[in-house]
Amino acid sequence: MADTNIAAGNRRSATDHSLRHALLDSRQRWRDLVLTSADIVYETDAAGHLVFVMPDPVLGWSTSTLLDYPADRLLISGISSDTFNPFRVTAPVRRRRCWLQRADGSAVMLAFAAAPLVDSEGRIVGTRGMGVDWSEFDGAAARNAAALRRGEVLDHILWRMGHEVMAPRMMQAALDALINALGAEGAAVIDVQGDASGRLMHVAGRGAEEVLPAAARLLASTADLVADAGSDGRPILAATCRSRFGSNGGIALWRSPGSRGWDGDDRLLVESAASLIRMVLEHETIQKEMAHQARTDPLTGLLNRRAFLEEINRHLDRLEREGLPGTLLYADLDNFKPVNDRLGHEMGDAVLVRAAQVLRSAVRPSDLVARQGGDEFALWMDGADHMTAAERADALCAAMPEALREIVGGDPPTVSIGIVTREAGSDEPLDELLRRADQAMYLVKHSGGGHWRVNSQDPL
């Protein structure tokens, strides 16, 4: 009986050994199969950290470096508006593509198969998956993959820009997307028009002031695309963006000191992106011109009435904080209609332009001058009381006919001016201030014109 039990035990031991051997052999075959078919095999925990990764090294990284490493940091962001994350899946996926970063900083596109890991209660506690490098099948595939990535980056930039209306925000979105896609430390749009030192127009990231001199020199060169290293070791890539409106500048990107330089794919991407940057620069120029036209009288170049009122409100806020007065002058040309009737509207326009020049030269650059309409003008003087304004008005009443005589001859228009002062701490509304200035000016006109009058706070 004992011999029988011993024999049975030996058979079970032999069977167990055979099963273990078969299991180990099966695992090894499975491991060999996975390693020959995948460029990365991994598992992550609930926090998204890598708890298993093979082979060693993987994408140039040693597995010891990647274990307990946040897997999301391997992703290259800013490529599409719906970036797939193979390390955090909620359902099984196959053949989903994603860009990862190699240890040398370059990008690689992989196709992933992955599935979520769940616990006994059905909660997702991690991800298991594998990825295959699609960009290294052959040279043509690599070129196609690089072109695909460039297209995705440019699509993402356009997508980000499409969510903005104003050109500066469009530019910021484009620069942010380029920084993410290229692993750059910073990016800037630089104007080198007439200044070899350059002027920063738009900035994203860090280090702009440090690279500005070197980047400006690169953009001032004859080449459309050029790379170099700054004095602090930052690799710089610059591309010109010459717009249809005459601006001379471009875009510069840089990596942190000691980082890898710019490869051919980087250059092609930045060269393509430069066309989008140029488009935004032209859009910005158009927006600025439209804003200028919306605030400016087209004939004289002075502020129009709406812009004048907006600016006065801003000036009043500052004067209140500083405890200073402000003074408004309303000016109207006397006998302007006969000039139009006798000499024509073209000569009348010339008179208005010359009158605007006289008014503008009579005040400081920080003061406001506007054409209210027709032959009426308004001036706002920061910090001036009615005495200072009266001296200025007296000089204008003398200078205006002398200046206009050069245009119309011996009987030029004169000017009537109404003056009101708003003292610091006054609660007088702006429309009442305008009414009093207009009233004072018309009293001057009705008394013959060619002089000025102060309208005090008390009713006339």
Side-chain angles (χ1 to χ4, degrees):
M1 185 67 177
D3 292 341
T4 302
N5 289 338
I6 292 172
N10 288 337
R11 286 194 297 274
R12 283 196 299 273
S13 177
T15 300
D16 290 345
H17 178 75
S18 296
L19 288 173
R20 285 196 300 272
H21 180 76
L23 180 60
L24 291 173
D25 184 59
S26 176
R27 286 180 175 176
Q28 184 60 45
R29 290 182 181 182
W30 176 251
R31 178 186 177 91
D32 293 342
L33 176 63
V34 169
L35 286 177
T36 54
S37 60
D39 294 281
I40 180 173
V41 182
Y42 60 91
E43 284 187 11
T44 63
D45 59 17
H49 290 191
L50 290 164
V51 295
F52 171 78
V53 62
M54 58 183 286
D56 188 10
V58 55
L59 305 181
W61 304 90
S62 68
T63 55
S64 60
T65 301
L66 293 179
L67 288 177
D68 295 326
Y69 186 84
D72 291 358
R73 295 183 185 175
L74 292 176
L75 299 173
I76 297 180
S77 59
I79 298 236
S80 71
S81 58
D82 182 27
T83 302
F84 164 63
N85 186 342
F87 305 114
R88 295 178 184 267
V89 299
T90 57
V93 297
R94 294 183 62 198
R95 300 191 184 96
R96 290 295 303 274
R97 292 174 300 179
C98 182
W99 291 92
L100 298 189
Q101 181 173 273
R102 291 190 178 98
D104 63 3
S106 61
V108 57
M109 184 180 70
L110 295 100
F112 283 90
L117 299 175
V118 298
D119 61 14
S120 58
E121 298 180 3
R123 294 174 299 192
I124 295 178
V125 294
T127 297
R128 175 182 295 141
M130 58 184 286
V132 177
D133 182 356
W134 275 27
S135 61
E136 293 187 353
F137 288 154
D138 55 39
R143 290 190 295 273
N144 291 337
L148 177 62
R149 177 172 177 257
R150 289 195 300 275
E152 289 181 348
V153 172
L154 296 174
D155 284 347
H156 177 63
I157 293 174
L158 288 170
W159 178 81
R160 289 281 306 274
M161 289 167 54
H163 284 70
E164 305 295 344
V165 176
M166 301 306 293
R169 294 182 63 86
M170 286 185 181
M171 188 68 78
Q172 195 67 40
L175 295 182
D176 288 341
L178 279 173
I179 287 175
N180 289 333
L182 292 170
E185 181 186 22
V189 178
I190 301 171
D191 178 22
V192 293
Q193 185 76 32
D195 186 357
S197 62
R199 177 178 64 88
L200 293 171
M201 300 174 63
H202 301 276
V203 176
R206 304 182 306 274
E209 294 293 342
E210 290 84 349
V211 304
L212 177 59
R217 285 195 300 273
L218 292 177
L219 290 171
S221 68
T222 57
D224 291 333
L225 182 73
V226 62
D228 200 359
S231 58
D232 58 359
R234 283 182 168 91
I236 303 172
L237 182 61
T240 57
C241 302
R242 297 183 180 90
S243 76
R244 291 172 295 174
F245 305 114
S247 62
N248 183 23
I251 178 175
L253 292 99
W254 57 91
R255 292 187 168 122
S256 56
S259 298
R260 70 181 182 89
W262 303 94
D263 59 27
D265 188 38
D266 295 334
R267 292 168 179 258
L268 288 172
L269 176 55
V270 171
E271 191 172 29
S272 299
S275 298
L276 298 180
I277 299 299
R278 184 191 65 193
M279 179 182 70
V280 178
L281 285 174
E282 293 177 350
H283 185 54
E284 183 177 37
T285 300
I286 293 171
Q287 284 187 340
K288 287 180 178 178
E289 180 60 27
M290 291 176 63
H292 176 72
Q293 291 180 7
R295 292 171 51 83
T296 305
D297 173 57
L299 176 64
T300 63
L302 300 178
L303 294 175
N304 60 26
R305 179 179 175 82
R306 185 182 68 177
F308 182 69
L309 297 179
E310 290 174 355
E311 289 298 324
I312 284 183
N313 278 313
R314 278 194 280 269
H315 282 235
L316 286 175
D317 290 340
R318 181 175 59 80
L319 293 173
E320 283 297 318
R321 292 193 302 269
E322 298 176 357
L324 296 173
T327 297
L328 176 67
L329 292 80
Y330 250 39
D332 186 271
L333 296 181
D334 306 315
N335 303 314
F336 175 70
K337 186 176 182 302
V339 172
N340 271 331
D341 295 342
R342 181 167 54 92
L343 301 176
H345 289 286
E346 185 174 340
M347 183 62 71
D349 288 348
V351 167
L352 292 174
V353 170
R354 186 71 181 99
Q357 293 170 349
V358 173
L359 293 169
R360 180 73 268 180
S361 64
V363 295
R364 299 164 300 182
S366 59
D367 295 329
L368 306 175
V369 184
R371 183 185 178 196
Q372 298 293 90
D375 59 346
E376 291 188 7
F377 299 86
L379 300 87
W380 175 263
M381 299 173 62
D382 281 340
D385 58 18
H386 66 277
M387 297 294 292
T388 302
E391 292 177 359
R392 203 63 52 87
D394 202 47
L396 280 171
C397 289
M400 187 66 74
E402 291 300 320
L404 299 184
R405 184 174 286 110
E406 299 173 2
I407 299 175
V408 300
D411 190 18
T414 57
V415 62
S416 297
I417 301 174
I419 302 170
V420 293
T421 296
R422 189 180 191 274
E423 299 293 343
S426 171
D427 58 357
E428 182 179 14
L430 179 57
D431 58 352
E432 177 61 17
L433 197 71
L434 296 168
R435 186 197 66 79
R436 292 200 296 118
D438 191 55
Q439 184 183 43
M441 182 265 291
Y442 272 99
L443 286 173
V444 173
K445 289 186 76 70
H446 292 160
S447 64
H451 60 102
W452 53 266
R453 180 186 180 102
V454 175
N455 190 346
S456 64
Q457 186 83 35
D458 299 327
L460 291 170

